Amino acid sequence: MRDDDPQLNVRGVDTPRQPLKIVVDSKFETSPSARLLKEGQTLVVGAVNAAMRIASLREAGAETVIMPNEHSKVELFKLMEELARRELNEIHVEAGTKLNGSLLQAGVVDELLVYLAPSVIGDSGRGMFHLPEITELSRATALKIREVERVGADLRILARI
């Protein structure tokens, strides 16, 4: 997130409302000047009581919540319970390999929406999920492909877990 400073909002289509932006940031390292804090509501969920960083984020307009697990990371299952309590029933995730892998391991993902670009970048490219290595193909996470659609030059793939 620090590299690309995303807005995490709906753009390019008319919409009566913007979604709640949720940032999973164990150490509350999100910059108070981040673009995603500029418009709409943002919830920053962390795992440590970093009082000064939390205060800065709140001054920038963010709501903050502390939800640690035993590894000083965000307890993702509890986060999903909190989002359900807030009556959010559809969560779209834009994340890196670590959070993507953690969400899968926590069992809180039921669907993947993947955009595949027609490019080959080789071994230096980052994977989609940081997961423990499997030694047998039978232990792989099985996906059920529901839709494949062409979007410009890319493919959009919808799969259920």
Side-chain angles (χ1 to χ4, degrees):
M1 188 174 78
R2 288 178 289 220
D3 294 340
D4 61 356
D5 195 18
Q7 296 178 65
L8 299 181
N9 61 2
V10 177
R11 297 180 301 280
V13 295
D14 289 332
T15 180
R17 63 184 175 89
Q18 289 290 331
L20 172 65
K21 296 170 277 188
I22 303 155
V23 179
V24 176
D25 180 2
S26 294
K27 298 178 184 174
F28 290 103
E29 295 176 316
T30 300
S31 170
S33 64
R35 291 191 315 168
L36 60 84
L37 298 175
K38 300 297 180 210
E39 293 180 28
Q41 295 179 295
T42 305
L43 171 64
V44 182
V45 185
V48 298
N49 191 359
M52 290 180 65
R53 288 187 222 145
I54 290 170
S56 294
L57 289 168
R58 287 181 178 166
E59 285 177 27
E63 177 186 356
T64 60
V65 176
I66 302 172
M67 290 185 172
N69 67 15
E70 64 276 4
H71 305 293
S72 298
K73 298 291 184 185
V74 172
E75 175 53 59
L76 296 171
F77 195 85
K78 274 183 141 173
L79 172 57
M80 293 304 158
E81 288 179 331
E82 171 62 19
L83 299 178
R85 187 189 68 73
R86 294 174 183 226
E87 299 182 358
L88 301 176
N89 63 4
E90 186 173 329
I91 311 299
H92 292 232
V93 176
E94 180 179 333
T97 62
K98 289 180 184 177
L99 182 55
N100 284 340
S102 294
L103 289 163
L104 276 178
Q105 287 183 296
V108 297
V109 177
D110 61 2
E111 192 171 80
L112 296 176
L113 181 58
V114 178
Y115 288 86
L116 178 64
S119 303
V120 176
I121 56 176
D123 291 343
S124 64
R126 295 192 114 188
M128 195 178 307
F129 304 99
H130 180 74
L131 295 167
E133 185 175 332
I134 60 170
T135 56
E136 300 171 19
L137 194 51
S138 62
R139 298 182 58 103
T141 301
L143 302 176
K144 296 175 188 92
I145 304 295
R146 297 290 187 206
E147 295 176 19
V148 178
E149 175 186 2
R150 196 172 187 140
V151 179
D154 297 344
L155 287 181
R156 177 188 173 273
I157 304 166
L158 176 67
R160 303 258 327 150
I161 301 215

